[in-house]
């Protein structure tokens, strides 16, 4: 076909062709983005920068990585938002870590993690507090109401007491549960 005709809106087929080209580009773009975002959410991607940190080993040894049900909770399950807009925003914020990765001296060593763990953990905790630990609640849906009978008495009591408080006085999951996936430093 003639390329000029393709871009001439008055020609009979050109608008159709343009639409087809548009849809094809759109579809390719959509899948390329999905693939990129999907790749950037995998544990392997997270561990490509955090590879010398004991993070994943600790996760796999915790009840979130090793339980009788055979469920493995992934980095993204806890650390990335489920809402697509917030998800993209977080990705953009996380992309600043590329700069940190390139500029922080000795970042990808266990010694760096050990020395900076409290500070890093508290930054992560701030994110959980800011959204009332919504990722925890995404899986743990029966903590405050309609608790299963098998839940420990002490847990039911603590959870119910907390839920009875005014919403702005309530504690969030990570206020009471620290170190559920990684070692949380004391002090
Ligand atoms: C490009 C390298 C890189 C990748 C990929 C990466 N990180 Fe990081 N991450 C860093 C750096 C660098 C820091 C330290 C940032 C600082 O303190 O300035 C960090 C810090 C963190 C922190 C603690 C500080 C905070 O702001 O919460 C968490 C949690 C974290 N990363 C989780 C993840 C998860 C989950 C993934 C996968 C979705 C991931 N990271 C992928 C480089 C990376
Ligand atoms: C993808 C789903 C999922 C997410 C997200 C998740 N959990 Fe869990 N959680 C589980 C599973 C599965 C178990 C293991 C159940 C078992 O041991 O039988 C578990 C176990 C637990 C336990 C009991 C074991 C322990 O470590 O003491 C606590 C407490 C807990 N989760 C808190 C949290 C908190 C806090 C968050 C958010 C930071 C969170 N969970 C996020 C699925 C999830
Ligand atoms: C006021 C403090 C407090 C808050 C807030 C809280 N918990 Fe707990 N939770 C406890 C205590 C205390 C226990 C019992 C001791 C233990 O198992 O660690 C417990 C136990 C659990 C257990 C184990 C239940 C069992 O029977 O083994 C899970 C899972 C859990 N909490 C998840 C959560 C999640 C998810 C949130 C947020 C929606 C949350 N908790 C909020 C104090 C709290
Ligand atoms: C069950 C939820 C959960 C999973 C799964 C999880 N994290 Fe975390 N992560 C947390 C919480 C909560 C904190 C805040 C500190 C704490 O309580 O241990 C944290 C803290 C961190 C930190 C700050 C440094 C530190 O050790 O506290 C990094 C880095 C991090 N996570 C990366 C990851 C990576 C990479 C993965 C996947 C291999 C992952 N996390 C899986 C919940 C989780």
């Amino acid at each position: 076909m003639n390329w000029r005709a393709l871009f001439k809106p008055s020609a009979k087929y050109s608008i159709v062709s343009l639409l087809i080209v548009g849809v094809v580009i759109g579809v390719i773009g959509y899948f390329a983005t999905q693939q990129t975002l999907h790749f950037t959410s995998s544990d392997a991607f997270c561990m490509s920068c955090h590879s010398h940190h004991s993070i994943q080993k600790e996760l796999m040894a915790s009840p979130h990585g090793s339980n009788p049900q055979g469920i493995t909770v992934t980095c993204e399950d806890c650390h990335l938002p489920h809402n697509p807009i917030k998800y993209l925003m977080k990705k953009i914020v996380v992309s600043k870590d590329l700069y940190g990765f390139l500029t922080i001296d000795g970042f990808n060593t266990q010694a760096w993690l050990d020395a900076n763990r409290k500070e890093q953990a508290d930054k992560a905790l701030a994110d959980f507090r800011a959204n009332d630990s919504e990722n925890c609640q995404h899986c743990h849906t029966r903590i405050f109401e309609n608790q299963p009978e098998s839940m420990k008495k002490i847990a039911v009591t603590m959870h119910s007491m907390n839920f009875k408080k005014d919403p702005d006085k309530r504690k969030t999951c990570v206020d009471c549960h620290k170190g559920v996936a990684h070692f949380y430093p004391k002090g």
Side-chain angles (χ1 to χ4, degrees):
M1 77 148 85
N2 173 342
W3 285 99
R4 285 242 305 281
L6 191 70
F7 295 102
K8 225 187 328 157
S10 58
K12 192 171 165 203
Y13 294 104
S14 65
I15 291 181
V16 175
S17 318
L18 271 180
L19 278 178
I20 293 172
V21 170
V23 167
V24 169
I25 292 174
V27 167
I28 293 172
Y30 176 80
F31 281 106
T33 316
Q34 288 301 306
Q35 285 308 109
T36 313
L37 289 176
H38 191 76
F39 172 72
T40 56
S41 316
S42 71
D43 287 14
F45 171 73
C46 305
M47 293 313 292
S48 63
C49 286
H50 291 277
S51 60
H52 293 102
H53 296 160
S54 54
I55 301 279
Q56 193 175 28
K57 234 185 286 153
E58 290 164 8
L59 165 66
M60 293 315 288
S62 81
H64 285 105
S66 160
N67 51 64
Q69 293 78 13
I71 297 167
T72 309
V73 181
T74 63
C75 314
E76 85 172 295
D77 288 330
C78 283
H79 286 287
L80 295 178
H82 294 281
N83 170 318
I85 309 270
K86 286 195 215 153
Y87 179 82
L88 279 170
M89 293 305 287
K90 177 114 188 193
K91 286 291 195 194
I92 293 163
V93 173
V94 167
S95 68
K96 281 193 202 142
D97 286 350
L98 182 58
Y99 177 75
F101 182 73
L102 297 172
T103 53
I104 298 172
D105 203 25
F107 169 74
N108 197 10
T109 60
Q110 187 61 28
W112 184 89
L113 182 64
D114 292 342
N116 294 277
R117 194 145 210 185
K118 184 78 168 64
E119 185 205 331
Q120 292 293 309
D122 289 341
K123 275 195 199 172
L125 286 172
D127 279 348
F128 284 98
R129 291 201 176 99
N131 61 25
D132 193 15
S133 313
E134 70 179 4
N135 282 12
C136 312
Q137 304 214 43
H138 189 84
C139 286
H140 294 280
T141 52
R142 294 169 65 189
I143 295 297
F144 294 137
E145 287 177 298
N146 187 26
Q147 293 102 332
E149 260 176 38
S150 52
M151 189 184 279
K152 280 187 231 144
K153 280 241 154 54
I154 170 78
V156 174
T157 308
M158 293 300 283
H159 293 155
S160 306
M161 266 170 48
N162 183 55
F163 194 67
K164 276 189 210 126
K165 293 185 184 157
D166 284 347
D168 57 325
K169 296 221 171 69
R170 254 177 233 160
K171 291 196 157 129
T172 192
C173 311
V174 298
D175 287 332
C176 294
H177 297 286
K178 289 193 180 60
V180 291
H182 326 289
F183 161 71
Y184 182 77
K186 295 221 163 63

